[in-house]
Amino acid sequence: MRKHILIVLGLIVLVGIAGFAYVAWPDTARLSVAEVAGVRPDITAPRIQTIPTVAVADVVGWQGGATPTAATGLAVRPFATGLDHPRWLYRLPNGDVLVAETNSPPRDGGGIQGVVMKWLMGKAGAGVPSANRITLLRDSNGDGVADQRTVFMTGLNSPYGMTLFKGQLYIANTDALVRVPYTDGQTRITAKPELVIKLNPGGNHWARNVIPAPDGKTLFVSVGSSSNIAENGMEAEKYRANILQVWPDAKTFRIYAAGLRNANGMAINPITGQLWTVVNERDMLGSDLAPDYLTQVEFGDQFGWPWYYWGGYPDSRVEPANPALQQYSKRPDYALGPHVAALGLDFANDVKLGGSYTNGAFVSEHGSWNRKPVSGYKVVYVPFGANGYPAVGTKPVDVLTGFLDDQGKARGRPVGVIADKTGAMLVADDVGNVVWRVTAATPAPTAAR
């Protein structure tokens, strides 16, 4: 069956490359994105696909000074332009911003599967080689635009997450967590990175993230699955689809939580003090399944991948089955909608946009490939209640849109989301090669930090 799927996909790709239209059997959504979002999303029966729905927005970039569209009461403008596939952001203590200019490493193997993935990545604007670089951006005069740019680190291997911890800067490469000494205000690091732990590379989901744990002693590292639903066997998924807890002094780790197909953005909830993450769910169950999600993660959690989704719905494609796991598959806290490709995450205690954005989470949605019509391609806000959880009945609120033009082509795709030193929101746009800065339209004076 898998070989048959790859052959069909290869034919579709080859026809597409030749410039001809093809007739397949794309699955069209029967529900809106909002209906498959929230604390209680509408989970319908799966529509298993042999030939996947492929709907990726063609890339055109930002033309003629165009910018994304900020929600009412907010304003947006470029913080930095001319970057090389900026994916992830990190703010240093002095306010400097690190941006990982990065992309996936060369894919393993070739053949039809390699052709398919290369075509999809190129169509989505992700076909460029990885710069393997971290760049430092500095706004020296406080006008909201980076006026100084320095090559901070090079020679990395598809770097992504970055965090400071006990005087060391930790970088999550696709195949390892590494660290280098850091001094406040430093603009370039030439030291050879020290290996902390190895991470299993290859396959899909190359991006790794890292943040400090609340205990002040360990780090959380997210490692996505190497496949859609473990179609290459579970041995290929060893220490994948996990969030790992790392003891950096001892250079050891354990699985903190499992069954998370592709956890990416991670942040500590300011009310509960617990780890939260956004997760990309599986493909080829139809345009209405399965919802990507935002959830709290506790030690020992198992979210069901690859056997189950959304707290126990079985995926009949996965063999062998695992019926004993069903009752232990944790239901996520909040659905973001099907195939939105949620990547970035930050809370409103860090990003300070005021108004109705005071208690909740900001999530970037990179955009779908396996849904018709497309979903995502925006930054949303999830309102939380006083208890530190998303409020029942609420839906994601659009904060930054316009990444698709009137013809449905991609001018950009949002990835990392952080706050700058003033509380404005910075958004990495890896297709537009821009870091955007979002503020209140009439900013209120900010207290000194």
Side-chain angles (χ1 to χ4, degrees):
M1 173 62 77
R2 181 171 176 268
K3 182 178 180 182
H4 172 71
I5 292 171
L6 292 177
I7 291 172
V8 174
L9 282 172
L11 291 173
I12 291 171
V13 171
L14 292 175
V15 171
I17 292 173
F20 298 101
Y22 68 88
V23 178
W25 296 268
D27 176 83
T28 301
R30 302 173 190 176
L31 299 175
S32 68
V33 173
E35 289 176 291
V36 196
V39 175
R40 298 170 183 165
D42 195 346
I43 304 295
T44 54
R47 301 189 291 275
I48 295 173
Q49 299 176 299
T50 300
I51 301 175
T53 298
V54 178
V56 181
D58 290 324
V59 172
V60 294
W62 298 97
Q63 306 292 328
T67 69
T69 302
T72 301
L74 303 177
V76 60
R77 67 170 179 163
F79 178 72
T81 60
L83 296 161
D84 187 351
H85 213 251
R87 292 277 293 188
W88 212 245
L89 304 169
Y90 182 72
R91 187 183 75 247
L92 294 167
N94 69 342
D96 289 345
V97 174
L98 299 181
V99 52
E101 295 177 280
T102 186
N103 205 348
S104 63
R107 291 189 58 82
D108 298 335
I112 292 174
Q113 187 177 26
V115 172
V116 172
M117 293 308 299
K118 185 175 181 180
W119 176 72
L120 281 173
M121 290 171 65
K123 185 174 173 61
V128 298
S130 178
N132 289 336
R133 178 175 62 237
I134 296 174
T135 295
L136 182 143
L137 304 174
R138 177 176 291 175
D139 176 10
S140 63
N141 58 11
D143 66 352
V145 178
D147 52 77
Q148 295 182 22
R149 183 179 305 188
T150 305
V151 175
F152 187 75
M153 284 188 72
T154 57
L156 300 163
N157 187 15
S158 294
Y160 200 79
M162 302 159 281
T163 194
L164 273 180
F165 188 73
K166 296 184 178 180
Q168 302 270 334
L169 179 68
Y170 288 78
I171 302 106
N173 285 327
T174 193
D175 61 352
L177 179 68
V178 299
R179 65 187 176 195
V180 289
Y182 171 77
T183 302
D184 195 29
Q186 200 167 353
T187 59
R188 183 170 177 82
I189 290 179
T190 57
K192 181 180 178 180
E194 176 188 358
L195 174 66
V196 180
I197 62 167
K198 292 182 179 180
L199 303 172
N200 288 346
N204 299 334
H205 307 143
W206 60 273
R208 317 288 184 239
N209 194 16
V210 57
I211 68 168
D215 63 11
K217 301 176 183 178
T218 61
L219 300 167
F220 291 132
V221 176
S222 62
V223 184
S225 68
S226 71
S227 63
N228 181 32
I229 50 169
E231 57 266 24
N232 299 319
M234 288 305 295
E235 183 60 27
E237 303 296 344
K238 188 174 182 179
Y239 301 126
R240 304 287 294 259
N242 293 157
I243 291 177
L244 307 177
Q245 186 174 23
V246 179
W247 280 260
D249 292 340
K251 297 185 177 180
T252 59
F253 70 92
R254 67 177 177 182
I255 296 174
Y256 185 80
L260 300 135
R261 179 177 174 272
N262 186 26
N264 221 279
M266 298 185 291
I268 304 302
N269 185 320
I271 296 177
T272 66
Q274 295 291 319
L275 172 66
W276 283 65
T277 189
V278 289
V279 177
N280 291 188
E281 254 292 355
R282 65 202 68 206
D283 298 317
M284 296 176 66
L285 287 180
S287 292
D288 297 317
L289 285 179
D292 295 345
Y293 57 86
L294 165 69
T295 192
Q296 180 171 290
V297 181
E298 299 175 278
F299 176 63
D301 280 347
Q302 163 60 259
F303 287 85
W305 185 90
W307 298 277
Y308 301 96
Y309 57 92
W310 199 254
Y313 289 88
D315 191 331
S316 63
R317 301 171 297 174
V318 181
E319 297 178 353
N322 188 356
L325 182 63
Q326 186 170 27
Q327 63 179 318
Y328 300 106
S329 296
K330 184 176 180 179
R331 178 166 295 186
D333 289 291
Y334 194 88
L336 294 162
H339 306 291
V340 299
L343 295 181
L345 172 66
D346 205 355
F347 281 96
N349 67 311
D350 193 29
V351 176
K352 298 183 182 299
L353 298 183
S356 57
Y357 307 107
T358 57
N359 181 23
F362 297 91
V363 176
S364 67
E365 299 179 349
H366 199 225
S368 63
W369 73 267
N370 187 219
R371 184 179 191 272
K372 181 181 178 182
V374 298
S375 57
Y377 296 92
K378 59 186 175 181
V379 178
V380 300
Y381 176 74
V382 177
F384 276 47
N387 63 350
Y389 290 85
V392 176
T394 61
K395 302 294 182 181
V397 178
D398 289 352
V399 174
L400 198 63
T401 58
F403 288 91
L404 297 179
D405 66 15
D406 293 340
Q407 286 75 47
K409 296 183 178 180
R411 298 188 282 198
R413 302 183 79 183
V415 193
V417 174
I418 65 167
D420 72 7
K421 62 184 177 181
T422 72
M425 181 169 68
L426 300 179
V427 179
D429 174 354
D430 69 347
V431 163
N433 292 321
V434 179
V435 174
W436 301 103
R437 185 173 186 265
V438 182
T439 60
T442 307
T446 55
R449 296 191 173 189

